[in-house]
Amino acid sequence: MAISDSDSLNFLIIGAGAVGSIFAWRLQHAGNNVDIVCRSNYEAVLQNGFQISSFQFGPTTFKPNRVHKSLVDASLSKVVYDYILVCTKSLPNIHSPADVLEGIDLGSAAIVLIQNGIGIEVPFYKRFPGNALISSITYIDTKQVESGVIEHGDSADLSFGIYDPDNRFSEESTDHTLLLLQKALLEGGIKPKINRQIQIERWYKVVWNASFNPISVVSGASNTVQLLSDPRMEALIIRAMREIISVAETYLGTSLSPEIDSSEIPERYIAMTRKRPEPVFPSMMVDYVNKRPMEHQVILKAPIDVAKSLNIDVPVLESIYAILVHLENKQLNQ
Amino acid sequence: MAISDSDSLNFLIIGAGAVGSIFAWRLQHAGNNVDIVCRSNYEAVLQNGFQISSFQFGPTTFKPNRVHKSLVDASLSKVVYDYILVCTKSLPNIHSPADVLEGIDLGSAAIVLIQNGIGIEVPFYKRFPGNALISSITYIDTKQVESGVIEHGDSADLSFGIYDPDNRFSEESTDHTLLLLQKALLEGGIKPKINRQIQIERWYKVVWNASFNPISVVSGASNTVQLLSDPRMEALIIRAMREIISVAETYLGTSLSPEIDSSEIPERYIAMTRKRPEPVFPSMMVDYVNKRPMEHQVILKAPIDVAKSLNIDVPVLESIYAILVHLENKQLNQ
């Protein structure tokens, strides 16, 4: 990255839904240039910007510096981007995830993946070997209630680290890239955390996602309150979590949490979910109900594949995955 | 039983749906007196009898000797029954199964249970210690297309044996009871088979029922052709079958089939199901679609309970059971 720390940065946000729009807004608020590639909400955002009602930051109308319909459009603006944030769903079962970056000269931009799941970095790492790749996990309570209209709660955290298993980049250069992003986020009111062991955190988060998400679908679209008021479903969720934890710890060669015993993670997650003031509608359930493809490849299938490669039996995850994909196929073929 | 072999027999059929009506018809055809307790189809059957279209036996209108609305009504007829055939669903999670025999003096009637599942005999054996109890499995292709209107295919087999774990009855007396029933069925064109190891056959049949039935429901009401055209669902069915077989063989202390290796049972069942000229709509799926309670207690939960008592892990069966009951509860609370 050829910019000095005092310059404002150029950000491109790809996939400006509930998550991407909040990061875009806060980064612009911090004084940066923020362009956005919108798809389904392009017309609405171009006309009116984003109408954001945020408990944490207040209400606003947020207008990105530029709204693009595609990456090819964005390239016509000739802006040299420092960071490209990918906030789309990861659907490798439907299209190659790295395709979202086709159509523009990436230059020396760092690619920041703000996505759930396991193995999401691989296609980007292979396709763009010259660009630093940042893998991140967000904890944010936000939803797009209609095109360009966002409701945001009281949290917007980003935990991130470099993905560079082959050590293509020096620690010095990646540190610079991480710190600059951290500073920009901080100035925008986002709580950033640089995590040198971001893969552990990814797996930790997938423990919740790979259990609650698909089980909310196969249970006939039950939210977290409905699921947790059925003791059998609670037991099923815990069992699914235990399978994921076992895979994760074998794969990573370390325990998932330095503070708590792994055997307690499921009950902690359950207790945390129970404490939520409102029922949670897991994203897969929302996608299923709206007849959109679900992120089951990176959230559920990838961990199952890792389990297979390690000869770990995951019968609950496999059962749920089979039913989930069968339901999806029925719906898409209707 | 105080009757001679040459007398015609008095049968009472409880639950005259698709299965009960065919047995009733054929037993009457053999020269016996056949009374029926009807519930949902009482009015239709009282007015018009059963309209039966049978591939095996031809079309007919079958009028039972007496049609009763309840067992109390039946008792007013003062007929002394030799055999009482129980052809209702077994739903111990909803009401005590032996309650279907309340309201009548059973005398020395033999009770014949024509029902699927595991452990179905226990409530009858406890409640009616003075009556011989016959446990049976039927292989019959029949459905009630509307009230009192039955479509029957080309098979009507009954395999049966005495249930008497405490040896309350002498072998001589139970043999007499079984042989007399066999003769009556044979004369009615039913293929009867006396099986001294009827429990092995029950478990063998439940291998199909505990897998295809609930999986057809949790898959969003998929029939056998839809299930078997999805390789993941086929694998799930096979895995569920393997769990049941393992439980069955440990519980019974013997292999499920004298002829074929147990490891081949799932593929045999799958091949047999594929060969059916029409898709099969498993009974649980039909009940679920019609918002009726499903027989998951005796078909799925009872084997899971046996597994637990034997410390056998059955994660696939438990996962499917949890989802199934959750779906049922949602439907019944709607």
Side-chain angles (χ1 to χ4, degrees):
Chain A
M1 225 171 292
I3 45 165
S4 81
D5 290 11
S6 58
D7 284 330
S8 80
L9 296 165
N10 286 321
F11 285 91
L12 179 65
I13 316 286
I14 298 174
V19 171
S21 59
I22 297 296
F23 284 105
W25 171 35
R26 300 319 300 173
L27 288 165
Q28 189 195 57
H29 184 85
N32 300 292
N33 173 75
V34 177
D35 294 358
I36 287 193
V37 178
C38 289
R39 276 154 329 169
S40 61
N41 55 4
Y42 172 75
E43 289 297 337
V45 172
L46 187 70
Q47 297 295 321
N48 311 313
F50 289 94
Q51 310 304 312
I52 302 180
S53 138
S54 167
F55 185 87
Q56 186 176 5
F57 304 111
T60 198
T61 295
F62 159 55
K63 298 220 170 196
N65 295 67
R66 291 170 199 80
V67 181
H68 303 292
K69 203 184 281 193
S70 69
L71 225 60
V72 174
D73 281 358
S75 75
L76 297 174
S77 69
K78 303 285 180 196
V79 177
V80 177
Y81 294 106
D82 301 300
Y83 293 91
I84 301 182
L85 275 55
V86 178
C87 305
T88 56
K89 282 195 290 181
S90 183
L91 298 165
N93 47 318
I94 294 185
H95 48 72
S96 178
D99 283 354
V100 297
L101 294 184
E102 283 300 327
I104 195 168
D105 178 4
L106 296 183
S108 61
I111 302 164
V112 185
L113 304 180
I114 305 185
Q115 296 178 311
N116 285 314
I118 296 300
I120 57 151
E121 304 90 351
V122 178
F124 293 90
Y125 194 68
K126 283 186 182 162
R127 185 90 70 92
F128 307 106
N131 295 78
L133 186 57
I134 297 176
S135 179
S136 80
I137 291 287
T138 183
Y139 304 91
I140 189 168
D141 169 20
T142 180
K143 60 185 167 190
Q144 186 166 217
V145 290
E146 60 184 280
S147 220
V149 181
I150 312 289
E151 286 180 10
H152 172 242
D154 62 357
S155 64
D157 301 358
L158 195 74
S159 190
F160 53 97
I162 286 290
Y163 182 88
D164 186 16
D166 306 330
N167 297 309
R168 291 172 184 168
F169 297 92
S170 71
E171 203 174 305
E172 195 188 355
S173 85
T174 57
D175 274 0
H176 181 72
T177 306
L178 292 172
L179 289 166
L180 213 54
L181 178 63
Q182 184 182 38
K183 181 165 169 282
L185 291 167
L186 208 54
E187 287 168 358
I190 304 287
K191 270 187 253 160
K193 192 182 106 194
I194 294 174
N195 185 347
R196 309 270 168 206
Q197 297 195 297
I198 189 69
Q199 290 304 317
I200 299 179
E201 197 167 345
R202 293 202 82 77
W203 277 95
Y204 193 93
K205 196 173 184 204
V206 103
V207 170
W208 195 98
N209 277 323
S211 50
F212 271 102
N213 261 295
I215 291 173
S216 72
V217 176
V218 300
S219 61
S222 285
N223 64 42
T224 54
V225 170
Q226 292 169 314
L227 291 175
L228 294 180
S229 53
D230 181 342
R232 283 189 206 96
M233 295 310 278
E234 181 182 350
L236 182 68
I237 289 163
I238 290 173
R239 196 150 181 175
M241 286 183 174
R242 294 205 187 289
E243 287 186 357
I244 285 273
I245 292 166
S246 156
V247 176
E249 299 196 334
T250 308
Y251 176 71
L252 297 166
T254 179
S255 68
L256 268 187
S257 166
E259 294 121 32
I260 60 167
D261 195 87
S262 302
S263 67
E264 292 170 23
I265 293 174
E267 282 78 6
R268 292 247 184 157
Y269 259 141
I270 299 277
M272 188 193 86
T273 307
R274 276 194 198 285
K275 261 190 231 152
R276 293 281 294 261
E278 303 281 338
V280 179
F281 297 81
S283 62
M284 272 191 210
M285 193 250 266
V286 174
D287 284 334
Y288 181 72
V289 168
N290 289 294
K291 307 196 178 196
R292 294 186 302 241
M294 297 176 280
E295 283 190 302
H296 49 64
Q297 172 72 36
V298 294
I299 286 176
L300 187 52
K301 181 62 167 23
I304 290 173
D305 288 344
V306 172
K308 273 192 208 293
S309 75
L310 298 168
N311 275 319
I312 299 173
D313 196 26
V314 287
V316 172
L317 298 178
E318 283 192 299
S319 299
I320 291 163
Y321 177 70
I323 298 166
L324 185 78
V325 177
H326 186 83
L327 289 172
E328 181 178 75
N329 285 340
K330 275 178 97 159
Q331 195 184 58
L332 299 180
N333 293 333
Q334 259 171 9
Chain B
M1 224 173 291
I3 44 162
S4 80
D5 290 12
S6 57
D7 285 330
S8 81
L9 296 165
N10 286 320
F11 285 90
L12 179 65
I13 316 286
I14 299 174
V19 171
S21 60
I22 297 297
F23 283 106
W25 171 37
R26 300 318 300 173
L27 287 165
Q28 190 195 56
H29 184 86
N32 300 290
N33 173 76
V34 177
D35 295 358
I36 287 192
V37 178
C38 289
R39 278 158 323 174
S40 62
N41 55 5
Y42 172 75
E43 289 298 337
V45 172
L46 188 71
Q47 296 296 320
N48 310 313
F50 290 94
Q51 310 304 313
I52 302 178
S53 136
S54 166
F55 185 87
Q56 186 177 6
F57 304 113
T60 197
T61 295
F62 159 56
K63 298 219 170 199
N65 295 68
R66 291 170 200 79
V67 181
H68 302 292
K69 205 184 279 196
S70 69
L71 225 60
V72 174
D73 282 357
S75 75
L76 296 175
S77 69
K78 304 284 181 196
V79 177
V80 176
Y81 294 106
D82 301 299
Y83 293 91
I84 300 182
L85 275 55
V86 178
C87 305
T88 56
K89 281 195 289 182
S90 182
L91 298 165
N93 47 317
I94 295 185
H95 49 71
S96 176
D99 284 353
V100 298
L101 294 184
E102 283 300 327
I104 195 168
D105 177 5
L106 295 184
S108 61
I111 302 165
V112 185
L113 303 180
I114 306 185
Q115 296 177 312
N116 284 315
I118 295 301
I120 56 153
E121 305 89 351
V122 178
F124 293 90
Y125 193 68
K126 283 186 181 160
R127 185 90 72 92
F128 308 105
N131 296 77
L133 186 57
I134 297 175
S135 179
S136 80
I137 291 287
T138 182
Y139 303 91
I140 188 167
D141 169 21
T142 180
K143 60 184 169 192
Q144 187 167 217
V145 289
E146 59 184 282
S147 219
V149 181
I150 313 290
E151 286 179 9
H152 172 243
D154 61 357
S155 63
D157 301 358
L158 195 75
S159 190
F160 54 97
I162 286 290
Y163 181 87
D164 186 16
D166 305 329
N167 297 310
R168 292 171 183 169
F169 298 92
S170 71
E171 203 173 307
E172 195 186 355
S173 86
T174 57
D175 274 0
H176 181 72
T177 306
L178 292 171
L179 288 166
L180 213 55
L181 177 62
Q182 183 181 39
K183 181 165 169 283
L185 291 166
L186 207 54
E187 286 169 358
I190 304 289
K191 269 187 256 163
K193 193 182 102 191
I194 294 174
N195 185 349
R196 309 271 166 206
Q197 298 195 296
I198 190 69
Q199 291 304 317
I200 299 179
E201 196 167 345
R202 294 201 82 78
W203 277 96
Y204 192 93
K205 197 174 184 203
V206 104
V207 171
W208 195 98
N209 276 324
S211 50
F212 271 102
N213 261 296
I215 291 174
S216 72
V217 176
V218 300
S219 61
S222 284
N223 63 41
T224 54
V225 169
Q226 291 169 315
L227 291 175
L228 295 180
S229 54
D230 181 341
R232 284 189 206 94
M233 295 309 279
E234 181 181 350
L236 183 67
I237 289 164
I238 291 173
R239 196 150 180 175
M241 286 182 173
R242 294 204 187 288
E243 288 186 356
I244 286 274
I245 292 166
S246 157
V247 176
E249 298 195 336
T250 307
Y251 177 71
L252 297 166
T254 177
S255 67
L256 268 187
S257 166
E259 293 120 33
I260 60 168
D261 195 86
S262 302
S263 67
E264 290 170 24
I265 293 173
E267 282 77 6
R268 291 246 185 159
Y269 258 141
I270 299 277
M272 189 193 85
T273 307
R274 276 195 198 284
K275 260 191 232 154
R276 294 280 293 260
E278 303 281 337
V280 179
F281 297 81
S283 62
M284 274 191 207
M285 193 250 266
V286 174
D287 284 335
Y288 180 72
V289 168
N290 289 294
K291 307 195 177 197
R292 294 187 301 240
M294 297 176 279
E295 284 190 301
H296 47 65
Q297 172 71 37
V298 294
I299 286 176
L300 187 52
K301 181 62 166 27
I304 290 172
D305 288 343
V306 172
K308 273 192 209 292
S309 75
L310 299 168
N311 276 318
I312 298 173
D313 196 25
V314 286
V316 172
L317 298 178
E318 284 192 300
S319 300
I320 291 163
Y321 177 69
I323 299 166
L324 185 77
V325 177
H326 187 83
L327 289 173
E328 182 179 74
N329 285 340
K330 276 179 97 159
Q331 196 184 58
L332 299 180
N333 294 332
Q334 258 172 10

